[in-house]
């Protein structure tokens, strides 16, 4: 496979279970850090937990945070970097401090499950058009001059207007923010349980067949730290050894909290978190596992797809493994549901994409399926990030990239965007091509052998991301032919000429192949 200048930001970056610093960069990391096994040996429960399970955008890792905060301060009177731009190492330091704490006041955490989601207006905006070239009688005359709905146009502007970030940077940070808030709470709950167990002297691993009940202990600890969370159950179980002879631990925490929802009304949210972790080496440097969780009871997003109401539950599943060669393979799934009592998981505790609304257990919108194949020694690897906006959509939207590091210690690369198969398909995460007219008159959903491409470079001096125009291939016309010229007498949001400058899909296929899905536990 040809080496592509890797693009670190076309999917969320999930750094799981003892993944070393080389998988992400921090403000002091020069790209050559060799510490690949941060552990929490001072907590006796460490073997049951991936101590650095965190979900962050690669664009907010380490020194990138400083640049993004400065960029966003141009457009925001009071930017909040802790909410939107917490980097991977900032997050891991927070978790490490909590798990190894000796002071019970360190065991609490903040509830940010409904933190505001930063928008990326450069990606898929709603635009007005006149005299659409694909309109023809006897079509409804109102469709000749109308609007294209948001979310369908891909990369519409090279840069995000408010921040001057490359559009792929802005969009990935936006995609990341909503999922991060949910997973952060899951990880915070489990890490707080380990913290309280340690400071109370209960941090001894259960023996095979034993389950340790830490419900009262955890509740007392959270109450003492003024963490507004009511615990209904908290346990760590040593399950039977796996068929290949490894220990297996299952941590489960459930509870509720009062929190502002999407519309800022205060409601009781309920969360249920499950973490199955299997260390495959004595020092927990190789492993496999799954985290699965639900958050329900609030209103999730402004949509009205659930009988005129917003979704009532969000579910997430992360399957991960790391081998002796330092290869990390993981798959993250996430979706929204109309029922707060839905059972979204299959027999392996992965989200079941085949369960679709109006099935009571079916998802209603934004089904995410992303797969990562990363080397922890140098951060290189392949990322595929796909999401399907609605159950009736013909295709998923997909970002695909291959990672590499720049010679100066910065980050550089190219990411591709296009449309791919439905999330129920085994090949979800691949790109079939570009659908240029998704929602306009006489739209044709047959993907053309084209993709969008945006290359970016991280400026290590100014600590900002820049768009590399020499490889830019994002412009197209939102019509079946992917191009509009002046003879069409059409106007798309003030643009009368839109050339087809997309990249041939053959160029993408020559450079990157979607990563294989990890095997279930």
């Amino acid at each position: 496979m040809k080496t592509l200048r890797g693009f670190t930001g076309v999917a969320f970056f999930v750094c799981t279970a003892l993944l070393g610093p080389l998988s992400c960069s921090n403000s002091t990391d020069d790209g050559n850090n060799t510490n690949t096994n941060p552990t929490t040996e001072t907590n006796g429960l460490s073997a049951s937990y991936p101590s650095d399970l965190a979900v962050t955008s690669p664009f907010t890792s380490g020194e990138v945070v400083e640049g993004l905060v400065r960029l966003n301060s141009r457009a925001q009177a009071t930017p909040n970097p802790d909410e939107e731009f917490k980097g991977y190492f900032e997050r891991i330091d927070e978790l490490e401090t909590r798990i190894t704490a000796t002071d019970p006041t360190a065991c609490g955490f903040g509830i940010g499950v409904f933190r505001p989601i930063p928008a990326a207006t450069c990606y898929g905006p709603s635009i007005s058009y006149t005299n659409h070239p694909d309109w023809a009688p006897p079509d409804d005359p109102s469709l000749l001059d109308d609007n294209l709905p948001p979310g369908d146009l891909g990369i519409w502007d090279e840069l995000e207007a408010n921040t001057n970030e490359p559009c792929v940077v802005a969009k990935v940070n936006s995609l990341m923010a909503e999922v991060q808030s949910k997973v952060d709470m899951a990880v915070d709950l489990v890490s707080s349980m380990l913290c309280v167990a340690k400071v109370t002297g209960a941090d001894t691993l259960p023996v095979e067949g034993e389950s340790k009940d830490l419900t009262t202990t955890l509740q007392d600890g959270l109450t003492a730290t003024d963490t507004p969370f009511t615990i209904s159950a908290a346990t760590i179980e040593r399950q039977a050894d796996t068929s290949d002879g490894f220990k297996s631990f299952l941590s489960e925490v459930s509870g509720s909290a009062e929190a502002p929802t999407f519309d800022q009304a205060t409601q009781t949210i309920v969360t249920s978190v499950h973490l199955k972790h299997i260390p495959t080496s004595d020092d927990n440097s190789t492993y496999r596992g799954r985290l699965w969780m639900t958050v329900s009871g609030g209103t999730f997003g402004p949509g009205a797809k659930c009988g005129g109401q917003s979704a009532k539950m969000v579910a997430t599943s992360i399957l991960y493994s790391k081998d002796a060669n330092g290869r990390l393979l993981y798959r993250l799934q996430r979706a929204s549901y109309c029922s707060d009592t839905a059972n979204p998981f299959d027999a392996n505790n992965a989200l079941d994409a085949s369960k679709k609304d109006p099935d009571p257990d079916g998802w209603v919108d934004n089904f995410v399926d992303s797969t990562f194949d990363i080397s922890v020694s140098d951060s290189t690897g392949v990322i595929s990030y796909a999401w399907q906006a609605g159950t009736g959509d013909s295709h998923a939207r997909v970002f695909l990239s291959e990672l590499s590091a720049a010679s100066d210690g910065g980050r550089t690369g190219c990411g591709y965007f296009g449309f791919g198969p439905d999330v129920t398909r085994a090949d979800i995460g691949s790109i079939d091509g570009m659908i240029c007219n998704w929602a306009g008159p006489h739209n044709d959903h047959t993907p053309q052998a084209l993709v969008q491409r945006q290359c970016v470079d991280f400026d290590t001096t100014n600590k900002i991301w820049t768009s590399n125009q020499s490889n830019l291939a994002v412009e197209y016309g939102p019509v079946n032919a992917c191009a509009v010229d002046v003879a069409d007498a059409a106007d798309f949001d003030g643009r009368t000429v839109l050339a087809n400058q997309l990249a041939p899909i053959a160029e993408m296929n020559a450079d990157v192949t979607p990563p294989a899905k990890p095997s279930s536990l």
Side-chain angles (χ1 to χ4, degrees):
M1 180 172 66
K2 179 182 175 182
T3 300
L4 176 68
R5 297 171 65 243
F7 177 45
T8 60
V10 293
F12 350 126
F13 209 128
V14 183
C15 299
T16 56
L18 296 178
L19 170 61
L22 279 173
S23 61
C24 311
S25 65
N26 70 354
S27 57
T28 60
D29 182 15
D30 63 1
N32 297 299
N33 195 320
T34 58
N35 177 15
T36 59
N37 187 28
T39 63
T40 53
E41 295 177 355
T42 56
N43 190 312
L45 296 172
S46 296
S48 68
Y49 178 75
S51 63
D52 48 6
L53 176 62
V55 175
T56 67
S57 167
F59 290 118
T60 59
S61 296
E63 66 176 4
V64 178
V65 174
E66 180 182 339
L68 291 178
V69 170
R70 183 167 61 253
L71 281 170
N72 279 269
S73 66
R74 301 172 188 169
Q76 301 176 16
T78 55
N80 189 342
D82 292 332
E83 286 277 315
E84 295 182 16
F85 302 116
K86 184 175 289 184
Y88 170 74
F89 271 85
E90 289 84 357
R91 177 64 176 152
I92 292 306
D93 286 346
E94 180 180 67
L95 295 173
E96 185 80 6
T97 298
R98 181 180 300 134
I99 294 170
T100 60
T102 57
D103 185 342
T105 61
C107 296
F109 61 92
I111 299 174
V113 66
F114 293 104
R115 68 168 65 111
I117 301 172
T121 59
C122 60
Y123 176 94
S126 175
I127 65 169
S128 61
Y129 66 83
T130 60
N131 198 30
H132 196 291
D134 293 322
W135 183 91
D139 289 348
D140 185 338
S142 67
L143 297 180
L144 179 61
D145 305 323
D146 200 0
N147 295 281
L148 296 177
D152 303 333
L153 292 173
I155 300 171
W156 187 247
D157 294 306
E158 179 185 1
L159 303 176
E160 175 63 9
N162 290 334
T163 64
N164 290 327
E165 300 167 284
C167 190
V168 287
V169 174
K171 179 58 179 176
V172 171
N173 285 335
S174 177
L175 289 168
M176 175 63 232
E178 198 277 339
V179 175
Q180 181 177 354
S181 67
K182 310 299 185 297
V183 178
D184 277 358
M185 187 170 66
V187 174
D188 283 339
L189 278 170
V190 178
S191 62
S192 290
M193 179 171 65
L194 270 63
C195 177
V196 173
K198 175 177 169 52
V199 299
T200 59
D203 59 329
T204 55
L205 288 170
V207 297
E208 186 173 350
E210 180 188 7
S211 178
K212 296 178 65 101
D213 190 334
L214 297 172
T215 305
T216 301
T217 302
L218 178 55
Q219 184 63 74
D220 290 346
L222 295 183
T223 300
T225 57
D226 294 323
T227 301
F229 211 100
T230 301
I231 299 298
S232 56
T235 59
I236 299 178
E237 177 187 359
R238 167 80 185 276
Q239 298 183 311
D241 287 354
T242 63
S243 60
D244 48 356
F246 296 112
K247 297 176 183 178
S248 177
F249 299 94
L250 177 64
S251 298
E252 298 183 292
V253 184
S254 58
S256 60
E258 296 293 317
T261 59
F262 182 85
D263 58 5
Q264 297 305 302
T266 299
Q267 296 183 26
T268 301
I269 61 163
V270 179
T271 188
S272 178
V273 180
H274 313 265
L275 175 65
K276 183 168 184 173
H277 185 66
I278 302 170
T280 55
S281 58
D282 291 340
D283 63 357
N284 204 14
S285 62
T286 63
Y287 49 77
R288 59 181 184 262
R290 184 189 292 280
L291 180 145
W292 68 102
M293 62 172 291
T294 59
V295 180
S296 60
T299 52
F300 297 94
K305 297 182 179 180
C306 302
Q309 303 296 318
S310 297
K312 296 299 183 183
M313 186 173 80
V314 173
T316 304
S317 175
I318 304 172
L319 178 66
Y320 60 86
S321 67
K322 180 182 158 192
D323 64 20
N325 295 320
R327 203 77 196 171
L328 180 70
L329 182 64
Y330 55 94
R331 181 182 189 181
L332 184 150
Q333 297 171 295
R334 174 264 185 213
S336 298
Y337 298 79
C338 292
S339 171
D340 57 9
T341 60
N343 176 17
F345 303 107
D346 64 17
N348 295 314
N349 297 311
L351 290 193
D352 189 342
S354 68
K355 295 180 180 179
K356 297 183 179 182
D357 184 70
D359 182 330
D361 294 327
W363 64 275
V364 63
D365 65 1
N366 290 328
F367 195 108
V368 171
D369 196 316
S370 54
T371 304
F372 303 69
D373 185 351
I374 303 294
S375 170
V376 300
S377 65
D378 60 7
S379 302
T380 59
V382 183
I383 293 174
S384 172
Y385 169 53
W387 79 104
Q388 190 163 319
T391 58
D393 282 3
S394 61
H395 294 77
R397 293 149 175 81
V398 186
F399 278 115
L400 180 62
S401 71
E402 187 172 5
L403 305 180
S404 67
S407 58
D408 63 356
R411 294 291 182 262
T412 184
C414 301
Y416 295 99
F417 173 80
F419 292 81
D422 183 276
V423 291
T424 60
R425 293 255 304 267
D427 55 348
I428 179 65
S430 60
I431 295 179
D432 295 331
M434 190 67 182
I435 299 174
C436 296
N437 181 12
W438 177 270
H442 278 193
N443 56 81
D444 184 353
H445 281 201
T446 303
Q448 299 194 41
L450 300 166
V451 289
Q452 288 189 309
R453 178 180 62 209
Q454 185 174 32
C455 300
V456 297
D457 298 291
F458 182 64
D459 182 339
T460 56
T461 300
N462 297 308
K463 296 184 176 133
I464 59 174
W465 290 96
T466 60
S467 178
N468 186 331
Q469 293 188 345
S470 64
N471 291 305
L472 187 66
V474 299
E475 184 176 329
Y476 71 97
V479 298
N480 291 330
C482 294
V484 179
D485 62 36
V486 67
D488 292 311
D491 182 284
F492 289 88
D493 206 28
R495 306 182 193 187
T496 57
V497 179
L498 290 167
N500 177 5
Q501 296 181 353
L502 301 176
I505 198 170
E507 293 184 7
M508 178 194 74
N509 291 335
D511 289 330
V512 58
T513 301
K517 302 291 188 293
S519 300
S520 187
L521 296 179

